Amino acid sequence: MISPASAIPDGEAVELAPGVHWVGAFDPSLRRFDLILSTANGTSYNAYAVRGSEGVVVVDTVKSEFADVFFARLETICDYSEIRAIVLNHLEPDHSGALPELLRRAPQAEVLLSTRAQSMLKAVTKADGVEYSYRPVATGDTLSLGDRTLRFISTPFLHWPDTQCTYLEELSVLFSGDVFGCHFCDQRLFNDRVGDFRYAFEYYYRHIMRPFRSHVIEALDLLEPLELALIAPAHGPVLRDGPRDYVDRYRTLAQPTLQAETCAGEKTLLIFYLSAYGNTERMAQAVYAGAEGVEGCRVSLFDLEGSEPSLFVDLIEEADGFVIGSPTINGDAVKPAWDLLSSLTLVKLRGKLGGAFGSYGWSGEAVQMLEDRLRGLKLVVPRHGPKVKLIPTEEELDECRAFGRALAEHLTGVANQARVVDFADLIRP
Ligand code: FEO
């Protein structure tokens, strides 16, 4: 790979603010991260060092293959004996890979990390047998370096349970870990000098942060009040030009997009179906009719044959529940039904209501298979859905209506209300 003229040579640290240096590594050849993310032009593993009047703190390390360049940069700005502490914002191996060797070189350094990271720290260091001391920190805890103060902000699940951010108070620098990062390798380092990385920033958000939207919102509530001169994320460009814009972008991305379309307190139920001969479609319409009659539940009906599963991801994410109708063909639900479910891997589904139904010719496995998958995705499947051999009768359509009504009532809480029994009802005439 040809580096731009303004690339940072290996073995040089980059000063971001007085006494604050980038000591990370570029990985331009990476094309897939964590096996699932495309990285069109690689990534970077950003690590930082902060010097105060009473010592040096290293914030995060790099992937183990890049340890040499990390140590070479670090050695240009401090002796290992000066390192008082190592702050680990996140222990995924792309940030903790060089940690065991750093601990060997700076055995006096105390490791500071979130409470939830403690077990991970033991896991990433156990193979090396290296000795160290560590201290869990939480939101509001600080570390003084004399004239510099690091404040810790717990941001769990962004991107693992262990994650935290670290704020350098005197210089308003936020070391944000994976938050506000992206897989975009550009050796010009700063956001006002690199190429256009908007797609990478949004892609990273969608794939890494989106499943944890409620945690993103909680984190933003803690981060937005901070004065921000610079955001130093664990991947991608250092955000020195308009750092607040990236915080605002997260706030926008984390907002529900469909909330305004429903009335306050209204529950939303989506019904998807596929139908080869119109039988599952008739069932879907009956499920729809049953659910639609329940007050307080907004019901929508979609023929999956007429659309792409990806278009429904946002809807499903914000809906309270969804149902899939599929015929059974060759002992299975049909492919678009599975495509829809497989497109939901980035969506938090736990606790949503789910259901399935469908027509069949001779075996009818689809309903059970879909219900099993919905349960596997952590949805609540309160009722076994109707399956109908070939053409539904009026009685069978009544069953479908009852099924739809029961699901809607489950969502609105009607089905869960305690039933008042009059003793008179218990007396046989
Ligand atoms: Fe960059 Fe979640 O590791």
Side-chain angles (χ1 to χ4, degrees):
M1 169 136 183
I2 298 169
S3 298
S6 50
I8 300 151
D10 281 357
E12 277 189 21
V14 180
E15 189 166 48
L16 310 181
V20 180
H21 286 84
W22 175 87
V23 290
F26 295 111
D27 185 359
S29 302
L30 188 79
R31 290 294 173 269
R32 201 148 278 276
F33 182 86
D34 273 2
L35 303 177
I36 54 169
L37 294 191
S38 301
T39 50
N41 59 345
T43 193
S44 58
Y45 312 107
N46 295 333
Y48 302 95
V50 178
R51 177 178 285 281
S53 58
E54 294 177 4
V56 171
V57 166
V58 175
V59 180
D60 291 325
T61 73
V62 299
K63 197 173 180 180
S64 58
E65 295 95 304
F66 296 86
D68 287 349
V69 69
F70 162 71
F71 288 120
R73 293 193 206 281
L74 188 58
E75 286 168 12
T76 65
I77 56 161
C78 68
D79 292 329
Y80 291 110
S81 61
E82 295 179 285
I83 299 174
R84 274 190 47 199
I86 301 165
V87 169
L88 299 175
N89 281 335
H90 180 23
L91 275 91
E92 194 167 2
D94 52 327
H95 308 298
S96 61
L99 177 66
E101 181 57 27
L102 179 58
L103 289 168
R104 258 190 292 277
R105 296 184 186 202
Q108 76 289 344
E110 183 181 34
V111 175
L112 300 179
L113 73 181
S114 76
T115 306
R116 282 174 155 147
Q118 294 173 85
S119 61
M120 294 180 198
L121 176 64
K122 288 171 187 158
V124 299
T125 54
K126 67 183 178 188
D128 292 86
V130 62
E131 300 278 326
Y132 56 86
S133 61
Y134 69 93
R135 177 157 56 100
V137 290
T139 297
D141 289 347
T142 57
L143 172 70
S144 173
L145 290 174
D147 60 349
R148 295 283 182 257
T149 312
L150 292 172
R151 177 151 48 103
F152 303 101
I153 302 163
S154 177
T155 56
F157 294 97
L158 308 182
H159 135 239
W160 276 8
D162 65 315
T163 39
Q164 64 174 11
C165 294
T166 301
Y167 183 62
L168 176 52
E169 292 186 341
E170 291 79 6
L171 298 175
S172 303
V173 173
L174 179 68
F175 301 102
S176 60
D178 281 348
V179 185
F180 309 126
C182 62
H183 291 307
F184 187 82
C185 179
D186 190 319
Q187 301 193 32
R188 292 167 290 187
L189 190 61
F190 296 102
N191 66 324
D192 53 313
R193 297 175 68 196
V194 301
D196 191 334
F197 64 101
R198 282 175 297 181
Y199 84 91
F201 187 84
E202 307 247 337
Y203 178 84
Y204 190 89
Y205 177 89
R206 278 204 312 278
H207 287 78
I208 299 286
M209 302 297 163
R210 178 187 174 138
F212 307 105
R213 186 163 68 181
S214 61
H215 293 284
V216 171
I217 290 169
E218 286 169 12
L220 289 173
D221 289 344
L222 295 172
L223 300 178
E224 280 173 339
L226 301 175
E227 189 178 322
L228 290 175
L230 184 145
I231 296 177
H235 295 288
V238 171
L239 308 172
R240 69 178 178 184
D241 183 34
R244 176 81 46 194
D245 295 346
Y246 299 89
V247 181
D248 294 344
R249 188 67 191 138
Y250 260 46
R251 178 60 81 175
T252 301
L253 291 168
Q255 291 303 322
T257 55
L258 307 171
Q259 203 172 47
E261 305 298 322
T262 56
C263 302
E266 199 172 43
K267 299 295 181 182
T268 50
L269 177 66
L270 312 176
I271 301 169
F272 300 99
Y273 70 92
L274 292 137
S275 191
Y277 294 102
N279 297 322
T280 301
E281 182 175 24
R282 292 184 67 202
M283 295 177 71
Q285 287 166 346
V287 173
Y288 171 79
E292 207 269 335
V294 175
E295 195 176 338
C297 189
R298 176 82 66 98
V299 190
S300 309
L301 182 66
F302 302 99
D303 182 351
L304 278 177
E305 199 180 346
S307 194
E308 297 290 323
S310 59
L311 298 177
F312 294 119
V313 172
D314 284 344
L315 263 66
I316 290 172
E317 181 166 43
E318 293 176 25
D320 298 294
F322 68 99
V323 190
I324 304 179
S326 169
T328 298
I329 296 180
N330 293 331
D332 200 353
V334 294
K335 185 170 179 298
W338 294 123
D339 288 346
L340 179 69
L341 293 178
S342 67
S343 70
L344 302 177
T345 50
L346 301 178
V347 175
K348 187 181 171 202
L349 298 170
R350 181 184 290 275
K352 289 186 191 292
L353 176 141
F357 60 91
S359 161
Y360 67 97
W362 64 89
S363 53
E365 295 93 336
V367 173
Q368 184 68 57
M369 293 169 89
L370 289 170
E371 287 174 348
D372 289 346
R373 180 64 184 137
L374 291 169
R375 288 194 183 91
L377 290 169
K378 311 296 183 203
L379 282 93
V380 174
V381 181
R383 281 176 74 114
H384 185 47
K387 60 179 195 174
V388 168
K389 189 169 178 70
L390 293 171
I391 303 167
T393 63
E394 259 320 300
E395 291 73 32
E396 287 168 329
L397 290 175
D398 275 345
E399 257 183 67
C400 294
R401 281 186 274 272
F403 175 64
R405 187 165 52 250
L407 294 181
E409 287 179 348
H410 189 94
L411 283 180
T412 57
V414 172
N416 307 326
Q417 286 172 7
R419 196 161 67 89
V420 178
V421 178
D422 190 320
F423 277 109
D425 294 340
L426 303 176
I427 301 169
R428 286 172 194 266

